[in-house]
Amino acid sequence: MLPQNSPLSLLQRPRRLRASPALRNIVRETRLASSDFILPLFVSEKITTRVPVTSMPGVFQLPETEIVSEALAAHQDGVCAVLLFGIPATKDEVASEAYNDNGIVQRAVRSIKTAIPDLIVITDVCLCEFMSHGHCGVTHFDGERAHVTNDLSVSLLAKTALSHARAGADIVAPSDMMDGRIGAMRATLDSHGFEHTPILSYAAKFASAFYGPFRDAAESAPQAGDRRSYQMDAANGNEALREVALDIEQGADMVMIKPGLPYLDIVWRVKERFGLPTVVYHVSGEYSMLKAAAKNGWIDEKACLMESMIAFRRAGADLIITYAAREIARSLREAS
Ligand code: PBG
C-alpha cells in the first residue's frame, strides 16, 4: 500500500477508464453476440397444441405442427442454433423411439432443416425421454436401486446419433454420460458416411438438482433411483478434466459443461486446458430461479440475465445454451 501523500499513488487510477459509457465501451473485454447462443426446443408427439412448462415461464412443449414456426421465429430473432429434445408418444425398456428413423426428433429435424436450412440443428442424444423408467441407459432395478448397463446403452446411443444424422442434424450432442459413447458414436457415424457430422459432447455433466424443471419439460424424471451412478459428483473438478480429455481422445469436436453458473471454475479450466469450442448449459433450474425472482420483483431480470451471460463468456465459454436465447438475441439487436 502506498502512503496517501505519495505522488505514486496517483499513477494507477483504474477509475479513469470508467468515467463515461463511451470509455467503458471501448475498454470492455467481453461482449455478447447473438451467434453465442443456442436455444433448446421441446417437441412432443403427444400434443396438438403447445403446453406451457409451468416451472419454466416462457418455455413450451411444442406439437410437431408448431416446431417449424417456433424455430423460424427464433431464427428471425437472431438465434443461430437450436438444441432439439423429443418427447415420444410411447416409451419402452429399450428406448425404441430414440433410434426410430421416423421418430419425433427425426421428423422434427427433417422439417426444420427443409424450412430453414441456415439454422443449425443440434440434437440431444439421450435415451431418458424414450425409456419407460426415465434413466439414460438400459436399466434393471434392484428394489429402489437402478443399475444402468453401460455397453448395451452405448450401442443404442450410437444408433440414435446415426439416426439423427440421417435425418439431417448438423451436430449430435450426447448427454447420457455412459463411458465410451463418444468413440462408439464416432465409429458408427464414420462407417455410415457421416464423418463430417460433429459431436458436441456433454463431457462434464454433473448430477445436479438444477435439472428439476427440465425433467417436467422433457418428461424424463427417473421413476426410481437417481442419476448419480453415471452423472458426475458436484464435488469433482479434476475428474471433470479427465472426462473431457477422454471425450476429446474419442473424437468429440466440441465439449460442454453442465450446469452453468455453479460450475464456472470447470468452464475456465476446460477452456484453458483444451482450447476446444467450449459450450456451457445454463440449465433449467438456473433459468427458473431468475424468472421466479424477477416475477416477485426481487431482481432486475434482464440485467441479471445479461450479467450471467457475460460471466459465461468471461469464464471462457464460446457458446451458451439457454432457454432465454430468444430474449437475449432480441435485446442484443435492440442495443446495436
Ligand atoms: C437428458 C438431459 C437432461 C438435461 C439435458 N439433457 C436432464 C437430466 O440429465 O436429467 C438437463 C437440462 C436442463 O436442466 O436444462 N439426459
Side-chain angles (χ1 to χ4, degrees), residues 48-330:
T48 50
T49 51
R50 59 173 57 206
V51 177
V53 180
T54 319
S55 52
M56 301 173 72
V59 177
F60 298 86
Q61 290 183 337
L62 299 163
E64 192 177 358
T65 49
E66 283 186 40
I67 192 69
V68 170
S69 54
E70 187 72 12
L72 187 61
H75 194 50
Q76 284 163 349
D77 281 342
V79 170
C80 302
V82 295
L83 172 62
L84 200 57
F85 292 93
I87 302 147
T90 57
K91 306 187 183 212
D92 60 25
E93 306 274 290
V94 286
S96 309
E97 284 304 305
Y99 40 88
N100 174 354
D101 282 340
N102 202 27
I104 182 67
V105 172
Q106 291 81 353
R107 298 198 305 267
V109 171
R110 279 196 293 268
S111 47
I112 298 172
K113 286 306 296 183
T114 306
I116 326 164
D118 286 346
L119 180 67
I120 297 289
V121 176
I122 307 171
T123 54
D124 182 90
V125 178
C126 199
L127 305 178
C128 57
E129 295 95 346
F130 302 88
M131 287 288 197
S132 43
H133 46 64
H135 278 287
C136 302
V138 178
T139 304
H140 66 269
F141 293 90
D142 164 11
E144 270 297 287
R145 260 201 78 151
H147 298 275
V148 178
T149 310
N150 195 81
D151 297 7
L152 185 52
S153 306
V154 166
S155 67
L156 300 184
L157 286 156
K159 274 168 73 169
T160 304
L162 175 61
S163 165
H164 291 181
R166 275 193 184 122
D170 294 292
I171 300 176
V172 291
S175 68
D176 53 283
M177 290 300 279
M178 298 300 126
D179 293 335
R181 75 251 164 85
I182 303 301
M185 251 169 231
R186 189 69 272 161
T188 302
L189 289 170
D190 290 356
S191 63
H192 290 81
F194 293 96
E195 50 282 271
H196 296 298
T197 302
I199 299 178
L200 160 57
S201 138
Y202 285 68
K205 177 173 178 181
F206 290 86
S208 171
F210 289 100
Y211 305 153
F214 172 92
R215 293 178 189 169
D216 299 336
E219 302 179 13
S220 67
Q223 275 161 24
D226 56 39
R227 303 209 201 285
R228 291 174 192 280
S229 77
Y230 42 102
Q231 298 180 349
M232 290 189 54
D233 189 317
N236 297 354
N238 294 326
E239 188 191 349
L241 295 187
R242 293 200 295 276
E243 277 280 8
V244 172
L246 280 172
D247 284 5
I248 295 172
E249 270 168 36
Q250 291 172 43
D253 302 283
M254 309 164 83
V255 291
M256 192 197 303
I257 293 91
K258 179 181 169 199
L261 289 180
Y263 295 85
L264 285 188
D265 57 320
I266 314 287
V267 174
W268 174 257
R269 291 173 74 183
V270 165
K271 186 57 190 288
E272 287 282 292
R273 172 88 62 101
F274 302 103
L276 250 68
T278 302
V279 183
V280 67
Y281 202 140
H282 179 236
V283 303
S284 55
E286 301 176 70
Y287 173 86
S288 300
M289 289 193 302
L290 269 175
K291 290 284 173 186
K295 195 170 160 222
N296 278 299
W298 294 339
I299 58 168
D300 176 335
E301 179 177 352
K302 191 170 155 195
C304 288
L305 178 63
M306 295 313 246
E307 186 177 331
S308 305
M309 299 303 129
I310 282 287
F312 285 134
R313 299 272 295 128
R314 196 189 61 237
D318 299 292
L319 289 162
I320 303 161
I321 302 169
T322 176
Y323 302 96
R326 282 184 67 176
E327 54 197 89
I328 293 167
R330 280 196 300 265

